[in-house]
Amino acid sequence: MTSAPDARRPAPWTVLPGVCVAGAAAALAFGVHQVLPGVPWLTAALVLGVIVGSIPPLRPVLGGVLEPGLDLSARRLLRLGIVVLGLQLSLTDIASLGWPEIIVIVVLVVVSYFFTLLIGRLFRLPGDEPVLIAAGFSICGVSAVGAMSAARASDPRDTATPTALVTLYGTAAIVVLPALAGLLGFDPVQFGHWTGASVHDVGQVVATAQTAGAMALAAAVVVKLTRVLMLAPIVAVTAVQTRRRGVAGGARPPVVPLFIVGFLALVAVRTFIPLPAGVVAVGATVQSVLLAMALFGIGASLRVEQLVRSGGRAVAAGAVSWVVILVLDLGVVAVGRP
C-alpha cells in the first residue's frame, strides 16, 4: 500500500544527483544564450537535454541514478515554474487593453486551440500529443504543454514532441515574423499585437517584438500576458473532464490543479500588491531557471529514434498549426488591432 507514494515521492538524496545535473545544464544553457543571443535560453536547455539523451553510453546513468532527479525536474519544477509565471501578470495591465480587445484575444485563443487540436487529430498524432500541441501553440508554449499534461495525467512520452514543436516554431518566429512585418507594412504597435497574439512562449515573444522597438515590445507583452491568463480556465476545464472520465489505475486529478491555484494567487499578488521592480525581475529569473531545468529533464528523456516514426507527421502538424494561427491573428490585426 505504501509503494506507490514512495515511488512518486522519492527520498531527497535520490533526487539530488539528477536535480544538480539539471541545474548545471540550465546554467550551461544560459551560457550558450549569452554567447549566442539568438538562441533562447529555454531552447538551449531542451537541445542540451536531447543531445545528452541521444548518447547511448549515458542512457544507463540517465535511467539510473539521475532518473529520480530528472523526473522531478521535468514534472514538479515545471509546475513550480508555471506558478512563478503568475508574478509576470498584472490584471491592471491586461485591463488597459479594453474589454473589446480582451474578448477578441480570448476568442482567438479558443479558436486557435480547437483548430490546432483538429489538425493534430487529422495528422493522427498519438496519445495526448494533439491536446498538448494545441495548448502549447494557442496559449503559452512550454508552460501550457506542462500544465495540460499535468491536468490530463499524460504519459511523459507524449510531452516531448509538443515541447520540441513549440520550441522549434516559436524560435522560428523570431526570424520569420520581423521579415513578414516589413513586407506587410505593419507599424510597431500592429507588429507587437501580432507577435503577442501568435508567438508561443513569453521569452520568444520578447525576442521577436523587441526587433521593432519599445512600442512593439510593450504591446506584445500585454497581449501575450492576456493569452497566458487563459491557461487557468482551459487547464481547469481539462482537469474536470479528466476527473470525470478517470485515468489509468483509477487516479483522479483535483478539480483545479494546485499549481494553477498558485499561479492565480501570484497573479493576484502582482495585481493588488505593489511589488518592487527587482522582485518581479527576480521572479522572472527564477521562472526561467525552473523551466530550463524542466526542459533539460524532458529533453534527456526523449529518445529521438522512438519519435522518428511519427516525427514527420508531428513536424507537419506543427507547421500547419503555426501557419493557421499566424493567418488567424494576421487577419484580426489587419482589420483592426486585437
Side-chain angles (χ1 to χ4, degrees):
M1 296 296 290
T2 59
S3 58
D6 289 342
R8 296 180 66 170
R9 295 188 179 183
W13 57 86
T14 65
V15 303
L16 188 60
V19 170
C20 288
V21 168
L28 179 58
F30 180 73
V32 171
H33 171 63
Q34 292 295 99
V35 175
L36 302 171
V39 179
W41 184 3
L42 300 186
T43 300
L46 177 66
V47 172
L48 283 175
V50 172
I51 292 173
V52 169
S54 299
I55 301 175
L58 295 179
R59 289 180 178 177
V61 179
L62 294 173
V65 67
L66 297 181
E67 184 176 21
L70 292 178
D71 184 66
L72 181 143
S73 298
R75 293 174 180 271
R76 297 184 182 276
L77 296 191
L78 179 62
R79 298 177 193 183
L80 187 57
I82 295 167
V83 172
V84 180
L85 175 62
L87 277 180
Q88 307 305 310
L89 277 73
S90 169
L91 298 181
T92 302
D93 292 339
I94 293 172
S96 68
L97 289 171
W99 282 110
E101 295 184 2
I102 292 173
I103 291 171
V104 169
I105 294 169
V106 170
V107 170
L108 278 174
V109 169
V110 174
V111 171
S112 298
Y113 176 85
F114 283 107
F115 259 114
T116 308
L117 178 61
L118 176 62
I119 290 166
R121 288 176 174 169
L122 289 175
F123 276 84
R124 304 193 312 278
L125 299 185
D128 279 346
E129 285 187 11
V131 177
L132 302 184
I133 292 172
F137 275 57
S138 64
I139 306 173
C140 56
V142 171
S143 300
V145 172
M148 190 64 77
S149 67
R152 289 182 63 87
S154 301
D155 188 315
R157 292 172 294 183
D158 289 345
T159 306
T161 296
T163 299
L165 290 178
V166 297
T167 301
L168 171 65
Y169 290 108
T171 303
I174 299 172
V175 176
V176 173
L177 265 64
L180 291 177
L183 296 175
L184 295 168
F186 279 173
D187 63 37
V189 175
Q190 287 175 313
F191 176 64
H193 277 274
W194 188 34
T195 299
S198 58
V199 180
H200 310 325
D201 278 314
V202 175
Q204 294 163 345
V205 167
V206 171
T208 305
Q210 59 85 29
T211 61
M215 291 179 62
L217 180 58
V221 168
V222 175
V223 172
K224 177 60 187 177
L225 294 182
T226 306
R227 287 173 63 200
V228 173
L229 195 61
M230 289 294 292
L231 182 67
I234 289 180
V235 168
V237 169
T238 300
V240 170
Q241 293 175 336
T242 303
R243 183 179 176 84
R244 285 176 177 171
R245 78 168 194 268
V247 294
R252 288 166 65 86
V255 174
V256 180
L258 185 60
F259 67 91
I260 290 296
V261 176
F263 167 80
L264 291 174
L266 289 191
V267 171
V269 168
R270 175 67 192 279
T271 301
F272 299 110
I273 299 176
L275 298 177
V279 172
V280 177
V282 168
T285 301
V286 170
Q287 170 207 327
S288 295
V289 170
L290 292 170
L291 293 182
M293 293 174 67
L295 282 177
F296 176 80
I298 291 171
S301 69
L302 176 63
R303 298 296 176 259
V304 176
E305 66 274 10
Q306 295 177 359
L307 298 174
V308 169
R309 303 187 192 108
S310 64
R313 294 200 311 272
V315 171
V320 173
S321 300
W322 187 42
V323 171
V324 166
I325 290 173
L326 287 179
V327 171
L328 280 173
D329 297 329
L330 175 63
V332 173
V333 173
V335 169
R337 294 193 295 263

